[in-house]
């Protein structure tokens, strides 16, 4: 068994809200192995983006902070690392791309400059060398006519192209981990497929591990080998993608999967009714309570669910579920 | 190329504006009761109808309005701004004597206000609840609400009369006849208070806007991207954020030129600065039409040129402006 | 039946929300109170303190506090307190009237430009640019010098050069609002242009216009002060700027004749600016999250 590249243990991230401090991530642990592609799945507000920001050390000052837990990477704990070390790692060993390509690039600098600066900052390349490398990178992310386009400004490019530029920037220094936070949500469906293809190919070429953050089960099925389902700041299920899709242990996961019928292997000719999951996500005030936070929406709810937070139970091989009632569904 | 074309169109447009200014002012002068003949006769101690008519004929005031307007515009195009009845000098000569002093005041004040204002804004935006932020808000209110001539007078009382750091009036100490360096220092000494007074109003405006823009910029997505690249704070603020927050401030500075010129008139009055302001005032009272028109023309010119320069600077800073419009 | 009801928030009337927001701004509230006091002084002052500001009541340059003259006397021996009181009247009258003229012209021009677009907008915008380029004080000086320095003329002169800011804001708001869906809906249900402009778009464009109008009162007061400082004022009334202007040669001996009226202008305009800021925060929905 190889050593995990990134090992997050009992992470707790707290947010300052008007009603006090709330744990947007509550006792969260996972491992990431070199070259792996995993996915955090869940609704908006479940804390998946916060985890990513926490790993990168980008939690907004005064708003959120890592309260406890550890983020072990390359032998050190990022949760306690100083600013200088974190800056060293960002863009260099761990990179991130974001959801809104239209606004994620600086409008007053050329895209070439925005790629080149990360090369100059971390690899010490000269202006000349970083500029040529930028052109190579644009080619690698399949932007046609890269020599001309390298001097373009972001407003001269489409959303899909800008996202490719973001990928080029993120992979420029050959990081060990790429975190992609909803990279295709703001793009057209056809462009989405292209971006996923690109990411998959690049992963095979460079061996970079990818953490895909998304609420879209379809994207998970395309990109990830292993998935982590999150709800209200907690992990509720984890396992190999195809296995979880075929046989989900947690009722929330089942709900998510049933919303995307085309990924189910077993499709019948009869029409399947979309099962809805009734209720809404708990508010931030309720995060952190010692009970199952999905209880109000669950059809298997029992008294234990309302009083004790479920622990992670092994469901099948290499698949874990945080639910008191896994036996019922098998 | 495109840039030259834009500059050429702007200049042409500016020319049309100036023409409109001339026509408007000319019209106004002739609409008003009384004319320069009256004021000359006043300084002569009275005159009868015939003398007045002779004066008018001498200065071409008896011809129809359109003809007078036409001949005036014709002269202006030949850089002849007419002759001042009151000062008995060609108007252009009068103006060029005084213009440099006003330009010195206006340009220095604008630059000072811009540079210090932007710097203050950038600094305080990073510390939203710190002292500098409160200073910016407070100073902004003071600078904007205090009448400029009052602040000038207060500075005079404080720094020239009681603590005698700076001279009380004028631009030069006539007794200094040293080399260029000494004379420059002398002018600078005289310049300090007037420039600070004039700049204070706009410093208030620019620092407030700069702070607000900077705060907005710091919250934007591309700054988050810059942070995720592992760039230093310095690079993030001064390379990525600053360039984006300059545009609104520069635009505002351009719009404020006419206010700066107006303020300059008052400041010149307070500090007896030998610029166009005093000239304007005297010639308005004396109904010296050519001089008034000349000054209005030139101050509009200063504003228009200021706007043009601001536009060009904006294009340098923000590439999106280059392709639009 | 389920817990979704607790998530429904009752909407409040926009005025009530704005009022509450404003009241939380201590500085703005205090400023408003001071302004009321100034207005009271202007209205009732002359009755309660019946000294003619033009009368010579004592020897010139009597320092403040002596001989029962709280603010002292000016270069002609006139009572400074009376001059301040009467000056308050002038400032307020001109401030409000000039602001009114400014807003009237500005809103008309901006509304028509923003609503009709096309050549109407082009022409109006060129005119606006033209007036923007004119050096405001200089132009007002010329108007006042030519047509006489009565209160009316001064008001018109100030209004004639200051309206461009209001026009710009109004036009921007009209451009923005006319694209919104509720305007299209109104048009589809048959509203004519007049109703659209003044019944539907304008009320929604009001917040920034109101803020600008408030600030215009302050800038009109400053403008008038500048004109009267230079001597271009109605000789029959006392104005704060004029007091400063006529006493300015005596700074060394009698600085108070300059500092006191100036402080009056400063405080008045400062309070107006604070109230304007408070209005801006209260009426501007984007800022409410703070």
């Amino acid at each position: 068994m190889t050593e995990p590249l990134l090992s997050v243990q009992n992470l707790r991230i707290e947010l300052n809200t008007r009603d006090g401090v709330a744990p947007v991530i509550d006792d969260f642990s996972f491992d990431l192995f070199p070259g792996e592609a995993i996915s955090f799945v869940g609704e908006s507000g479940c804390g998946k983006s916060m985890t990513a920001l926490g790993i990168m050390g980008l939690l907004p000052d005064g708003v959120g902070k890592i309260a406890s837990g550890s983020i072990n990477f390359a032998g050190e704990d990022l949760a306690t690392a100083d600013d200088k070390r974190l800056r060293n790692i960002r863009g260099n060993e761990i990179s991130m791309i974001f959801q809104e390509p239209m606004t994620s690039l600086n409008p007053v600098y050329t895209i070439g400059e925005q790629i080149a600066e990360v090369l100059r900052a971390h690899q010490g390349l000269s202006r000349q060398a970083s500029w040529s490398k930028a052109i190579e990178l644009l080619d690698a992310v399949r932007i046609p006519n890269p020599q001309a386009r390298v001097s373009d400004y972001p407003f001269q490019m489409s959303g899909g192209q800008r996202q490719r530029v973001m990928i080029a920037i993120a992979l420029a220094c050959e990081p060990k981990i790429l975190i992609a936070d909803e990279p295709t949500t703001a793009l057209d469906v056809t462009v989405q497929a292209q971006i996923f293809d690109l990411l998959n190919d690049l992963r095979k070429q460079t061996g970079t591990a990818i953490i895909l953050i998304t609420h879209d089960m379809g994207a998970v099925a395309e990109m990830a080998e292993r998935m982590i389902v999150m709800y209200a700041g907690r992990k509720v299920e984890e396992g190999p993608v195809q296995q979880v899709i075929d046989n989900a242990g947690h009722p929330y996961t089942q709900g998510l999967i049933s919303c995307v019928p085309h990924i189910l292997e077993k499709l019948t000719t009869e029409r399947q009714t979309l099962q809805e999951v009734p209720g809404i996500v708990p508010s931030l005030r309720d995060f952190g309570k010692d009970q199952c936070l999905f209880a109000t929406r669950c059809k298997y709810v029992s008294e234990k669910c309302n009083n004790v937070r479920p622990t992670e139970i092994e469901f099948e091989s290499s698949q874990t579920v945080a639910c008191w009632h896994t036996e019922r569904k098998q | 190329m495109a840039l030259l074309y834009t500059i050429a169109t702007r200049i042409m447009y500016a020319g049309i504006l100036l023409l409109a200014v001339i026509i408007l002012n000319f019209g106004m002068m002739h609409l008003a009761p009384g004319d320069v003949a009256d004021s000359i006769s006043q300084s002569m101690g009275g005159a009868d109808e015939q003398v007045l008519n002779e004066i008018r004929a001498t200065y071409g005031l008896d011809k129809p309005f359109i003809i007078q307007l036409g001949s005036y515009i014709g002269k202006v195009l030949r850089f002849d701004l007419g002759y001042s009845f009151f000062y008995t000098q060609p108007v252009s000569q009068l103006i060029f004597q005084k213009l440099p002093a006003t330009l010195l005041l206006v340009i220095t004040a604008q630059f000072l206000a811009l540079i210090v204002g932007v710097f203050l804004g950038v600094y305080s935006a990073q510390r939203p609840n710190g002292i500098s932020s409160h200073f910016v808000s407070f100073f902004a209110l003071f600078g904007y609400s205090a009448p400029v001539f009052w602040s000038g007078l207060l500075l005079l009382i404080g720094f020239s009369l009681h603590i005698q750091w700076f001279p009380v009036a004028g631009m030069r100490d006539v007794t200094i006849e040293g080399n260029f360096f000494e004379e420059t220092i002398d002018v600078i000494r005289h310049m300090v208070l007037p420039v600070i007074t004039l700049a204070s109003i706009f410093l208030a405006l620019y620092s407030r806007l700069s702070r607000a823009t900077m705060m907005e910029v710091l919250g934007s997505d591309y700054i988050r991207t810059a942070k995720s690249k592992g760039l230093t704070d310095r690079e993030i603020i001064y390379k990525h954020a600053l360039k984006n927050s300059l545009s609104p401030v520069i635009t505002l500075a351009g719009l404020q030129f006419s206010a700066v010129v107006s303020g300059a008139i008052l400041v010149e009055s307070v500090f007896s600065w030998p610029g166009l302001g005093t000239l304007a005032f005297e010639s308005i009272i004396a109904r010296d039409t050519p001089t008034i028109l000349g000054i209005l023309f030139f101050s509009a010119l200063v504003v228009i040129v200021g706007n043009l320069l601001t536009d060009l600077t904006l294009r340098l800073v923000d590439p999106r402006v280059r392709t639009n419009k | 039946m389920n817990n979704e009801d607790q998530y429904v928030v009752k909407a409040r009337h926009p005025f009530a929300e704005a009022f509450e927001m404003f009241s939380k701004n201590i500085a703005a509230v205090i400023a408003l109170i001071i302004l009321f006091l100034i207005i009271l002084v202007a209205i009732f002052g002359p009755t309660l303190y019946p000294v003619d500001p033009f009368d010579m009541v004592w020897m010139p340059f009597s320092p403040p506090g002596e001989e029962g003259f709280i603010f002292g006397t000016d270069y002609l021996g006139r009572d400074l307190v009376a001059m301040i009181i009467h000056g308050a009247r002038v400032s307020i009258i001109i401030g409000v009237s000039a602001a009114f003229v400014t807003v009237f012209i500005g809103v008309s021009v901006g509304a028509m430009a923003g609503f009709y677009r096309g050549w109407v907008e082009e022409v109006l915008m060129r005119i606006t640019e033209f007036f923007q380029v004119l050096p405001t004080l200089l132009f007002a000086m010329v108007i006042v010098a030519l047509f006489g320095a009565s209160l009316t003329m001064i008001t018109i002169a100030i209004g004639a050069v200051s309206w461009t800011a209001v026009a710009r804001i109004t036009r921007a708001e009209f451009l923005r609002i006319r694209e919104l869906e509720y305007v299209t809906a109104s048009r589809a249900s048959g509203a004519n242009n007049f109703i659209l402009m003044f019944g539907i778009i304008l009320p929604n464009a009001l917040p920034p216009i109101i803020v600008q109008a408030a600030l215009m009162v302050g800038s009109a007061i400053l403008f008038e002060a500048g004109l009267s400082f230079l001597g271009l004022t109605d000789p029959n009334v006392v104005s704060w700027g004029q007091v400063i202007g006529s006493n300015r040669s005596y700074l060394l001996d009698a600085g108070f004749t300059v500092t006191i009226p100036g402080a009056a202008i400063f405080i008045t305009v400062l309070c107006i600016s604070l109230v304007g800021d408070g209005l801006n925060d209260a009426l501007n929905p984007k800022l409410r999250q703070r």
Side-chain angles (χ1 to χ4, degrees):
Chain A
M1 188 73 174
T2 43
E3 274 283 304
L5 180 58
L6 176 72
S7 178
V8 172
Q9 302 293 337
N10 310 107
L11 185 65
R12 183 181 165 96
I13 297 179
E14 286 175 356
L15 273 192
N16 293 329
T17 68
R18 264 181 309 179
D19 305 308
V21 166
V24 69
I25 289 289
D26 183 17
D27 194 15
F28 183 63
S29 312
F30 74 94
D31 288 335
L32 175 69
F33 293 91
E36 224 194 335
I38 71 171
S39 175
F40 294 166
V41 200
E43 281 168 82
S44 315
C46 71
K48 30 193 220 295
S49 296
M50 284 290 160
T51 313
L53 291 177
I55 295 174
M56 299 276 284
L58 286 177
L59 289 170
D61 258 337
V63 174
K65 70 173 199 296
I66 299 178
S68 63
S70 62
I71 303 173
N72 301 300
F73 174 73
E76 50 183 315
D77 183 5
L78 297 185
T80 54
D82 64 9
D83 267 343
K84 192 152 179 270
R85 178 68 189 128
L86 285 173
R87 258 185 277 132
N88 215 305
I89 292 180
R90 281 184 222 135
N92 194 8
E93 298 179 58
I94 308 181
S95 291
M96 191 159 168
I97 62 177
F98 301 93
Q99 179 175 345
E100 312 89 350
M102 297 305 275
T103 50
S104 293
L105 289 171
N106 195 327
V108 299
Y109 289 105
T110 58
I111 56 164
E113 171 58 26
Q114 297 188 52
I115 302 176
E117 75 177 338
V118 81
L119 288 165
R120 292 200 303 266
H122 293 296
Q123 296 186 344
L125 294 183
S126 68
R127 283 203 173 259
Q128 186 89 321
S130 58
W131 192 259
S132 343
K133 186 90 198 286
I135 299 179
E136 281 176 38
L137 284 163
L138 284 179
D139 194 34
V141 295
R142 302 175 192 158
I143 299 241
N145 201 1
Q147 292 94 330
R149 307 229 66 184
V150 74
S151 333
D152 275 353
Y153 287 93
F155 68 88
Q156 292 168 296
M157 301 185 118
S158 70
Q161 288 172 330
R162 290 189 219 191
Q163 196 63 302
R164 291 169 197 273
V165 172
M166 291 291 293
I167 295 175
I169 295 174
L171 294 178
C173 299
E174 290 163 45
K176 303 204 178 70
I177 305 179
L178 170 67
I179 306 178
D181 189 354
E182 311 253 21
T184 56
T185 310
L187 301 172
D188 288 339
V189 180
T190 43
V191 181
Q192 282 186 24
Q194 292 170 5
I195 298 285
F196 284 137
D197 277 343
L198 177 63
L199 283 173
N200 272 326
D201 290 344
L202 287 173
R203 180 169 74 95
K204 290 195 194 100
Q205 280 170 31
T206 61
T208 309
I210 295 186
I211 302 179
L212 174 69
I213 300 176
T214 181
H215 61 268
D216 177 6
M217 268 300 182
V220 178
E222 275 201 55
M223 281 281 312
E225 298 164 333
R226 193 157 58 92
M227 65 194 259
I228 297 176
V229 183
M230 294 174 71
Y231 188 77
R234 300 174 178 171
K235 187 201 302 183
V236 297
E237 184 149 9
E238 177 177 2
V241 170
Q242 197 52 56
Q243 192 176 318
V244 173
I245 290 180
D246 286 342
N247 192 4
H250 198 282
Y252 178 62
T253 320
Q254 290 169 358
L256 282 181
I257 292 171
S258 71
C259 295
V260 195
H262 71 264
I263 61 173
L264 298 173
E265 270 193 33
K266 316 177 189 75
L267 283 181
T268 66
T269 49
E270 299 157 27
R271 287 203 311 195
Q272 295 196 326
T273 40
L274 287 175
Q275 296 175 30
E276 90 171 13
V277 183
I280 52 178
V281 191
S283 80
L284 208 51
R285 269 173 295 168
D286 298 327
F287 279 35
K289 285 189 187 158
D290 188 12
Q291 61 165 101
C292 176
L293 291 174
F294 189 67
T296 52
R297 309 169 74 177
C298 185
K299 49 188 178 187
Y300 306 112
V301 63
S302 71
E303 191 171 326
K304 192 178 189 193
C305 304
N306 281 320
N307 291 312
V308 190
R309 174 180 170 170
T311 51
E312 288 169 45
I313 304 169
E314 185 146 326
F315 184 58
E316 289 183 24
S317 72
S318 60
Q319 185 176 347
T320 55
V321 178
C323 176
W324 294 126
H325 299 289
T326 50
E327 340 71 44
R328 280 213 194 169
K329 284 159 267 129
Q330 270 179 314
Chain B
M1 31 155 187
L3 188 63
L4 277 178
Y5 176 73
T6 326
I7 296 183
T9 25
R10 291 281 158 76
I11 293 183
M12 222 178 53
Y13 183 62
I16 299 177
L17 267 184
L18 276 176
L19 197 64
V21 172
I22 297 174
I23 296 178
L24 177 72
N25 293 321
F26 203 82
M28 243 178 30
M29 301 292 309
H30 283 262
L31 211 59
D35 61 14
V36 72
D38 294 315
S39 77
I40 290 183
S41 79
Q42 257 187 325
S43 59
M44 286 187 336
D48 64 8
E49 195 63 29
Q50 201 188 10
V51 178
L52 285 175
N53 284 337
E54 275 173 32
I55 298 180
R56 293 201 179 106
T58 320
Y59 293 121
L61 295 173
D62 51 347
K63 303 213 183 71
F65 175 75
I66 295 291
I67 299 196
Q68 288 193 48
L69 177 63
S71 78
Y72 184 73
I73 295 178
K75 284 198 205 157
V76 171
L77 290 174
R78 275 174 277 145
F79 301 118
D80 174 8
L81 286 169
Y83 191 83
S84 162
F85 313 126
F86 193 68
Y87 296 96
T88 57
Q89 281 182 60
V91 172
S92 5
Q93 197 177 340
L94 268 177
I95 291 185
F96 279 113
Q97 273 170 11
K98 309 278 187 167
L99 185 63
T102 303
L103 279 180
L104 186 63
L105 186 60
V106 166
I107 294 178
T108 317
Q110 263 283 52
F111 261 106
L112 190 69
L114 255 180
I115 294 176
V116 177
V118 167
F119 175 71
L120 257 182
V122 167
Y123 185 80
S124 60
Q126 298 170 59
R127 301 158 182 77
N129 295 313
I131 300 181
S132 59
S133 213
H134 290 304
F135 176 76
V136 167
S137 316
F138 184 71
F139 182 63
L141 282 174
F142 183 92
Y144 178 73
S145 310
V148 67
F149 52 91
W150 184 60
S151 349
L153 286 170
L154 286 179
L155 281 178
L156 251 190
I157 296 178
F159 292 101
S160 292
L161 294 178
H162 289 302
I163 319 171
Q164 297 187 346
W165 280 351
F166 299 106
V168 172
M171 190 164 105
R172 287 219 164 120
D173 191 343
V174 198
T175 60
I176 291 189
E177 229 150 281
N179 51 28
F180 179 70
F181 182 68
E182 282 179 13
E183 285 189 10
T184 315
I185 298 285
D186 182 44
V187 171
I188 293 179
R189 274 189 76 225
H190 281 84
M191 217 166 77
V192 170
L193 289 184
V195 166
I196 292 182
T197 311
L198 187 56
S200 63
I201 310 175
F202 306 100
L203 177 59
L205 281 177
Y206 301 155
S207 61
R208 226 162 62 137
L209 183 61
S210 167
R211 182 184 61 164
T213 316
M214 193 65 176
M215 279 171 61
E216 215 182 291
V217 164
L218 284 177
S220 55
D221 288 342
Y222 53 85
I223 294 297
R224 180 183 56 178
T225 307
K227 286 187 193 164
S228 75
K229 287 189 202 173
L231 301 174
T232 60
D233 279 346
R234 190 179 215 111
E235 275 179 294
I236 294 175
I237 303 267
Y238 291 104
K239 183 178 172 193
H240 283 264
L242 184 61
K243 215 173 176 204
N244 278 284
S245 61
L246 280 181
S247 307
V249 186
I250 293 180
T251 310
L252 181 65
L255 288 173
Q256 293 293 98
F257 260 105
S258 73
V260 180
V261 170
S262 299
I265 297 178
L266 292 167
V267 169
E268 285 182 14
S269 172
V270 167
F271 290 95
S272 307
W273 187 260
L276 286 180
T278 335
L279 186 66
F281 185 63
E282 290 172 1
S283 55
I284 286 175
I285 299 296
R287 304 296 195 91
D288 189 1
T289 317
T291 314
I292 302 175
L293 287 177
I295 295 178
L296 279 166
F297 176 79
F298 256 96
S299 39
L301 186 65
V302 168
V303 174
I304 291 177
V305 169
N307 279 347
L308 203 66
L309 288 174
T310 313
D311 247 355
L312 288 175
T313 317
L314 208 57
R315 302 179 133 250
L316 268 176
V317 166
D318 191 343
R320 289 168 290 186
V321 180
R322 292 177 207 161
T323 49
N324 289 344
K325 267 193 154 187
Chain C
M1 156 221 133
N2 55 16
N3 58 0
E4 279 174 16
D5 287 338
Q6 62 180 274
Y7 297 101
V8 173
V9 177
K10 269 186 109 54
R12 299 175 60 197
H13 194 280
F15 283 169
E17 256 190 80
F19 187 74
E20 186 189 316
M21 187 80 193
F22 186 88
S23 340
K24 287 195 191 140
N25 186 343
I26 309 175
V29 171
I30 296 182
L32 196 57
I33 296 176
I34 297 181
L35 276 180
F36 273 133
L37 288 174
I38 295 177
I39 295 177
L40 284 178
V41 165
I43 299 177
F44 297 113
T47 330
L48 296 173
Y49 191 86
V51 177
D52 188 341
F54 292 104
D55 269 353
M56 179 173 177
V57 293
W58 199 246
M59 60 183 183
F61 300 130
S62 172
E66 288 185 14
E67 321 291 347
F69 297 113
I70 309 176
F71 286 159
T73 60
D74 76 340
Y75 76 110
L76 285 180
R78 303 182 287 196
D79 185 355
L80 225 48
V81 175
M83 299 185 99
I84 297 286
I85 294 178
H86 285 260
R89 283 194 162 184
V90 172
S91 292
I92 293 175
I93 292 176
I94 293 197
V96 173
S97 338
F100 188 76
V101 172
T102 306
V103 170
F104 185 73
I105 302 178
V107 170
S108 314
V109 171
M112 288 199 287
F115 186 79
Y116 288 113
R117 313 294 312 273
W119 65 267
V120 173
E121 187 189 11
E122 274 304 305
V123 167
L124 286 175
M125 280 299 106
R126 295 300 145 240
I127 296 179
T128 311
E129 278 182 41
F130 172 70
F131 273 90
Q132 253 169 251
V133 157
L134 285 180
T136 48
L137 186 64
L138 204 51
F139 198 63
M141 279 165 70
V142 174
I143 295 180
V144 170
L146 292 181
F147 297 99
S150 63
L151 284 186
T152 324
M153 214 56 226
I154 296 177
T155 308
I156 295 179
I158 297 178
V161 299
S162 316
W163 58 267
T164 54
V166 180
R168 271 203 315 271
I169 292 179
T170 310
R171 168 177 166 257
E173 282 295 289
F174 266 68
L175 284 179
R176 181 182 68 89
I177 295 176
R178 76 199 293 279
E179 305 305 323
L180 293 177
E181 280 136 9
Y182 59 85
V183 174
T184 320
S186 302
R187 193 181 270 136
S189 57
N192 67 29
N193 280 345
F194 187 77
I195 294 182
L196 273 177
M197 264 171 70
F198 295 107
I200 295 177
I201 301 182
L202 186 59
N204 284 288
L206 276 182
I209 297 178
I210 291 179
V211 175
Q212 192 67 18
L215 295 175
M216 279 288 135
V217 176
S219 72
I221 293 180
L222 285 173
F223 207 114
E224 185 276 328
L227 284 174
S228 50
F229 170 74
L230 292 172
L232 294 166
T233 181
D234 189 335
N236 301 318
V237 301
V238 173
S239 149
W240 288 336
Q242 178 223 43
V243 177
I244 299 180
S246 47
N247 286 295
R248 60 176 277 213
S249 323
Y250 313 103
L251 285 181
L252 197 50
D253 310 306
F256 64 90
T257 51
V258 156
T259 43
I260 294 178
I265 304 175
F266 171 58
I267 293 174
T268 312
V269 177
L270 181 67
C271 291
I272 295 178
S273 305
L274 283 171
V275 170
D277 266 357
L279 280 176
N280 196 17
D281 284 347
L283 294 174
N284 188 341
K286 271 190 292 180
L287 296 174
R288 276 211 201 120
Q289 269 69 46
R290 282 200 237 136

